[in-house]
């Protein structure tokens, strides 16, 4: 347990308790640690996660990773793409190609990093070890909280048994879509669920052609997009899985056959889910704030979910540091309103448009949609605007 020197308020053991050791909680902990704040991260699971989930890291997030002093580690661990290209595996043609390097005047990182999410989390966790003012406690499930004008009291259960309490100046719920912290604040995610089911499957190929660098698409039997997340390991993204006439196993088999022209593969992991666009009406109440999936969920089309969470956490970090330094919790409120507006009119709007276009394409017309987009984006001003949105560098 951490104890700060020179306590002014009885019982406060730490500046900030972060609930949840996902990418948002860990990156926020690192930001606070670098600003000299004491942090406890409480994570209900017994250790770090092991599944790939969000593999794309856009330039705006890379800028944050650079500020956190970890960009070198991320660059050496990732596959780096300098352009956003989609290859049509059915016709063996390029469908669209957008040079991210065109943004070199807008960012130090005009590139896409591809890294499975569990590796992102592991790199952030590793970086935290350099800061004795941060402790990460696994197998600590937060069950509730109460706050007054001076502090926040968090209740947690260790290994599902006895309950204990810890007191902090501030608490941040980075505890994902089913956030216990959001529930404790009496807030719910408002929004919509799209009439579209999708599935993800990671497969390992025994033969991986070195020329298969860019994402690949096929609509021959089932619509599928594939992204290489590690050498020889591909993430299959399968929209329109609500059609139950084809089993998931069959979808994966057909996808591998059409995308890579081979029958052999091993399935690493798969998951089927609904697509949501939801947001909490408030991102902070008193001394408690929400960030990441706990505060907002967006459609995964566009790969901006984890990215928007890390960016949201970075914005919150600045306000938290000021609030701690000036002992003024009221600073969290304008920050929460700014973060809410940024998500509502930024990532939520953009991913909503992308999702509606995918729905309209009914899957089989996706190559046509991408060809038309490629033509439209030959106009430099439109291409610049689209790239800024996609890479999350623009508002
Ligand atoms: C199957 C799947 C595939 C995905 N694919 C993509 C993708 O391709 N692109 C993309 O951008 N996004 C994707 N996402 C979404 C992305 O993973 C999330 O946006 C991202 O993980 C959000 O990070 P977070 O830190 O806010 O929440 P999470 O990663 O959900 O982390 C929350 C953490 O809080 C912990 N926790 C929960 N409750 C408690 C509690 N009471 N006490 C203590 N700890 C608690 C959880 O165990 C977890 O470790 C995917 C998600 C899933 C599930």
């Amino acid at each position: 347990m951490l104890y700060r020197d020179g306590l002014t308020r009885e019982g406060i053991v730490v500046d900030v308790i972060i609930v949840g050791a996902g990418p948002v909680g860990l990156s926020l902990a690192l930001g606070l640690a670098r600003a000299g704040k004491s942090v406890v991260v409480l994570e209900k699971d017994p250790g770090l996660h092991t599944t790939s989930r969000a593999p794309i890291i856009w330039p705006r997030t890379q800028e944050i990773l650079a500020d956190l002093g970890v960009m070198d580690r991320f660059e050496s661990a990732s596959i780096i793409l300098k352009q956003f290209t989609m290859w049509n595996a059915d016709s063996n043609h390029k469908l669209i190609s957008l040079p991210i390097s065109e943004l070199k005047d807008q960012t130090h990182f005009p590139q896409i990093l591809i890294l499975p999410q569990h590796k992102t989390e592991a790199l952030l966790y590793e970086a935290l070890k350099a800061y004795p003012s941060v402790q990460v406690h696994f197998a600590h499930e937060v069950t509730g909280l109460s706050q007054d004008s001076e502090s926040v009291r968090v209740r947690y259960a260790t290994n599902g048994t006895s309950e204990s309490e810890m007191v902090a100046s501030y608490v941040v719920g980075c505890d994902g879509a089913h956030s216990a912290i959001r529930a404790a604040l009496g807030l719910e995610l408002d929004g919509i669920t799209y009439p579209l089911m999708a599935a993800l499957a990671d497969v390992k190929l025994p033969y991986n052609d070195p020329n298969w660098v860019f994402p690949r698409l096929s609509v021959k039997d089932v619509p599928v997009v594939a992204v290489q997340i590690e050498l020889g390991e591909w993430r299959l993204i399968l929209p329109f899985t609500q059609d139950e006439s084809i089993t998931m196993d069959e979808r994966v088999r057909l996808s591998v056959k059409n995308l890579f022209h081979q029958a052999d593969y091993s399935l690493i992991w798969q998951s089927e889910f609904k697509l949501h666009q939801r947001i909490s009406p408030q991102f902070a109440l008193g001394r408690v704030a929400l960030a990441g999936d706990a505060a907002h969920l967006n459609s995964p089309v566009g790969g901006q979910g984890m990215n928007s969470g890390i960016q949201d956490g970075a914005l919150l970090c600045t306000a938290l540091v000021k609030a701690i330094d000036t002992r003024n919790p009221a600073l969290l409120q304008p920050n929460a309103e700014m973060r809410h507006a940024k998500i509502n009119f930024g990532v939520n709007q953009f991913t909503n448009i992308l999702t509606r276009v995918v729905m309209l394409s009914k899957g089989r017309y996706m190559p046509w949609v991408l060809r038309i987009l490629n033509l439209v984006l030959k106009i430099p001003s439109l291409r610049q605007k689209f790239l800024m949105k996609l890479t999350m560098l623009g508002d």
Side-chain angles (χ1 to χ4, degrees), residues 193-329:
T193 298
Y194 293 97
L196 174 71
M197 290 284 292
L200 303 175
D202 289 356
V203 293
K204 189 162 180 61
L205 303 179
Y207 171 70
N208 192 54
D209 190 322
N211 293 316
W212 296 338
V213 176
F214 297 113
R216 302 169 73 77
L217 174 146
S218 168
V219 293
K220 212 184 239 172
D221 295 302
V222 290
V224 58
V225 170
V227 180
Q228 184 166 218
I229 54 172
E230 301 214 57
L231 208 58
E233 280 184 29
W234 289 77
R235 154 72 53 87
L236 308 184
I237 303 157
L238 297 136
F240 304 99
T241 53
Q242 61 268 37
D243 167 12
E244 288 174 354
S245 61
I246 311 179
T247 64
M248 257 308 282
D249 287 351
E250 184 63 358
R251 277 177 198 280
V252 173
R253 188 188 70 75
L254 290 168
S255 299
V256 172
K257 174 176 78 80
N258 294 334
L259 288 165
F260 307 109
H261 318 295
Q262 56 189 288
D264 285 348
Y265 63 91
S266 47
L267 180 67
I268 302 168
W269 168 83
Q270 74 179 36
S271 161
E272 205 172 349
F273 54 90
K274 289 182 180 160
L275 275 61
H276 306 280
Q277 192 204 70
R278 295 182 182 275
I279 190 161
S280 168
Q282 300 190 58
F283 281 16
L285 279 177
R287 291 175 171 271
V288 182
L290 301 171
D293 276 14
H296 47 87
L297 291 178
N298 61 267
S299 156
V301 182
Q304 298 193 336
M306 178 190 74
N307 287 266
S308 64
I310 292 175
Q311 293 167 26
D312 184 30
L315 290 172
L316 171 60
C317 184
T318 311
L320 263 177
V321 169
K322 263 197 199 144
I324 294 165
D325 288 345
T326 58
R327 297 197 173 176
N328 182 6

Side-chain angles (χ1 to χ4, degrees), residues 19-25 42-45 49 52-56 117 121 140-143 174-181 200 235 237 269 271 273 291-294 297-298 300 302-307 309:
V19 184
V24 178
L42 300 177
E43 165 57 49
K44 75 174 165 59
D45 284 351
H49 296 270
S52 63
R53 292 157 297 151
I56 295 175
Q117 186 174 321
E121 291 163 356
H140 280 52
E141 178 166 9
V142 172
T143 53
C174 299
D175 49 343
H178 306 288
S179 170
I181 301 302
L200 303 175
R235 154 72 53 87
I237 303 157
W269 168 83
S271 161
F273 54 90
D293 276 14
L297 291 178
N298 61 267
Q304 298 193 336
M306 178 190 74
N307 287 266

Side-chain angles (χ1 to χ4, degrees), residues 16-41 64-65 68 124-125 128 131 133-134 136 170-175 288-292 309-321 324 332 335 339:
V16 184
I17 293 174
I18 294 174
V19 184
V24 178
L26 293 172
S27 55
L28 175 60
L30 191 53
L32 290 168
R34 287 170 68 84
K37 306 305 166 206
S38 58
V39 180
V40 167
V41 181
I64 292 168
L65 295 174
L68 294 175
L124 292 169
Y125 181 62
L128 279 174
Y131 296 89
S133 66
V134 178
V136 182
Y170 295 92
V171 168
V172 185
C174 299
D175 49 343
V288 182
L290 301 171
I310 292 175
Q311 293 167 26
D312 184 30
L315 290 172
L316 171 60
C317 184
T318 311
L320 263 177
V321 169
I324 294 165
L332 292 193
N335 170 268
R339 291 189 295 123

Side-chain angles (χ1 to χ4, degrees), residues 92-149:
N92 214 18
H93 278 100
K94 223 181 254 180
L95 281 170
I96 185 166
S97 188
L98 301 174
I100 307 284
S101 50
E102 269 186 14
L103 299 177
K104 62 181 184 312
D105 294 336
Q106 323 293 329
T107 177
H108 288 306
F109 306 104
Q111 59 188 16
I112 302 168
L113 298 189
I114 308 285
L115 187 70
Q117 186 174 321
H118 63 280
K119 294 204 167 176
T120 288
E121 291 163 356
L123 288 178
L124 292 169
Y125 181 62
E126 203 49 44
L128 279 174
K129 290 184 181 162
Y131 296 89
S133 66
V134 178
Q135 291 189 7
V136 182
H137 295 301
F138 291 104
H140 280 52
E141 178 166 9
V142 172
T143 53
L145 60 77
S146 56
Q147 60 173 317
D148 56 31
S149 59

Side-chain angles (χ1 to χ4, degrees), residues 88 90-91 95-96 217-219 361 363-373:
N88 188 342
D90 299 336
S91 63
L95 281 170
I96 185 166
L217 174 146
S218 168
V219 293
S361 79
R364 60 184 176 277
Y365 300 119
M366 280 199 303
W368 286 105
V369 171
L370 287 170
R371 267 188 211 115
I372 293 165
L373 187 64

